[in-house]
Amino acid sequence: MKTIKFLILSVMVLFGTVNVYAQNAAATKPTIIFVHGIWADGSSWTSQILALQAKGYPVISVQNPITSLADDVAATKRAIDQAKGNVILVGHSWGGFVITQAGNNPKVTGLVYVAALVPDEGETLPTLSAKGPAVTLSNYFEPVNGFVYLSKEGVKTVFAQDLSAKQQDLIYATQTPASQQVFGDKSGVPAWKTKPSWYILAKSDKAINPELERFMAKRANAKTTEIEASHVVMVSHPKEVLEIIEAAANFKK
């Protein structure tokens, strides 16, 4: 009888230890914070959010107002403050400007740029874009009361050309327009100069020229992966993007 009680006690202790270990392991996972770009919203990361949550990662998807760089950085900083422990920032397009600034927070341990802009200090969206070959994105701008929308044809032609018609319509319907102010906002001291960085380059990007993406990724000394995709590579190639995010989350210096 004593032997049976000892075995039961041993099993209980073992399972208790395993449970505590599992809880501690989950607690050590960094929070993944997603930062969308112009003409997108937080739902553009749905595939990655669901997959990461299933693996026990805490996830926050910021809803940028895109009223100014300062406003978007403030929204992202609130998410960083909300997070428990370390943070990986993932930015798409204009979101690259945002994570470049917000990434200076000491809780941030890595930056993942997804077909994103990677500014240096003092650069604006137009001055950085001028460092690469021109694109026709602005041909599809639709200004409304100080904000810039992207036309349905623009979504189909230069933004998300490798998605289905239903996906394109969803992006058009849920887009967050940009205040005209953001095009003149200057970037500050970049976090990529001190934080490990990854870059996912969209080889068929018609919103940001792939040559500009290569230039920015190289300048930031980012670990770069090239994918044959449109600007919204996180939607058209969700698994590949997820793999890079997980690599950043598990990176050890």
PDB file of all heavy atoms in Angstrom, residues 33 111 147 164 181:
ATOM      1  N   ILE A  33       3.845  41.909 -31.473  1.00  0.00           N
ATOM      2  CA  ILE A  33       3.000  43.081 -31.733  1.00  0.00           C
ATOM      3  C   ILE A  33       3.056  43.420 -33.215  1.00  0.00           C
ATOM      4  O   ILE A  33       4.120  43.710 -33.763  1.00  0.00           O
ATOM      5  CB  ILE A  33       3.435  44.282 -30.884  1.00  0.00           C
ATOM      6  CG1 ILE A  33       3.253  43.960 -29.390  1.00  0.00           C
ATOM      7  CG2 ILE A  33       2.635  45.530 -31.261  1.00  0.00           C
ATOM      8  CD1 ILE A  33       3.649  45.088 -28.456  1.00  0.00           C
ATOM      9  N   LEU A 111      13.023  43.308 -34.479  1.00  0.00           N
ATOM     10  CA  LEU A 111      12.160  44.006 -35.424  1.00  0.00           C
ATOM     11  C   LEU A 111      12.016  43.153 -36.681  1.00  0.00           C
ATOM     12  O   LEU A 111      13.011  42.690 -37.244  1.00  0.00           O
ATOM     13  CB  LEU A 111      12.765  45.356 -35.815  1.00  0.00           C
ATOM     14  CG  LEU A 111      13.178  46.289 -34.675  1.00  0.00           C
ATOM     15  CD1 LEU A 111      14.036  47.428 -35.217  1.00  0.00           C
ATOM     16  CD2 LEU A 111      11.954  46.847 -33.964  1.00  0.00           C
ATOM     17  N   PHE A 147      -7.363  63.235 -46.195  1.00  0.00           N
ATOM     18  CA  PHE A 147      -6.893  61.855 -46.088  1.00  0.00           C
ATOM     19  C   PHE A 147      -6.781  61.236 -47.480  1.00  0.00           C
ATOM     20  O   PHE A 147      -7.488  61.637 -48.407  1.00  0.00           O
ATOM     21  CB  PHE A 147      -7.834  61.013 -45.214  1.00  0.00           C
ATOM     22  CG  PHE A 147      -7.670  61.282 -43.745  1.00  0.00           C
ATOM     23  CD1 PHE A 147      -8.254  62.408 -43.175  1.00  0.00           C
ATOM     24  CD2 PHE A 147      -6.930  60.438 -42.944  1.00  0.00           C
ATOM     25  CE1 PHE A 147      -8.101  62.668 -41.815  1.00  0.00           C
ATOM     26  CE2 PHE A 147      -6.764  60.698 -41.594  1.00  0.00           C
ATOM     27  CZ  PHE A 147      -7.353  61.816 -41.025  1.00  0.00           C
ATOM     28  N   SER A 164      -7.109  36.914 -54.383  1.00  0.00           N
ATOM     29  CA  SER A 164      -8.373  36.706 -55.091  1.00  0.00           C
ATOM     30  C   SER A 164      -9.177  38.000 -55.109  1.00  0.00           C
ATOM     31  O   SER A 164      -8.913  38.932 -54.331  1.00  0.00           O
ATOM     32  CB  SER A 164      -9.187  35.618 -54.388  1.00  0.00           C
ATOM     33  OG  SER A 164      -9.630  36.076 -53.113  1.00  0.00           O
ATOM     34  N   GLN A 181      -0.586  64.427 -43.613  1.00  0.00           N
ATOM     35  CA  GLN A 181       0.520  64.838 -42.751  1.00  0.00           C
ATOM     36  C   GLN A 181       1.625  63.779 -42.688  1.00  0.00           C
ATOM     37  O   GLN A 181       2.809  64.123 -42.581  1.00  0.00           O
ATOM     38  CB  GLN A 181       0.018  65.113 -41.332  1.00  0.00           C
ATOM     39  CG  GLN A 181       1.134  65.484 -40.347  1.00  0.00           C
ATOM     40  CD  GLN A 181       0.622  65.803 -38.961  1.00  0.00           C
ATOM     41  OE1 GLN A 181      -0.497  66.282 -38.808  1.00  0.00           O
ATOM     42  NE2 GLN A 181       1.436  65.541 -37.940  1.00  0.00           N
TER      43      GLN A 181
END
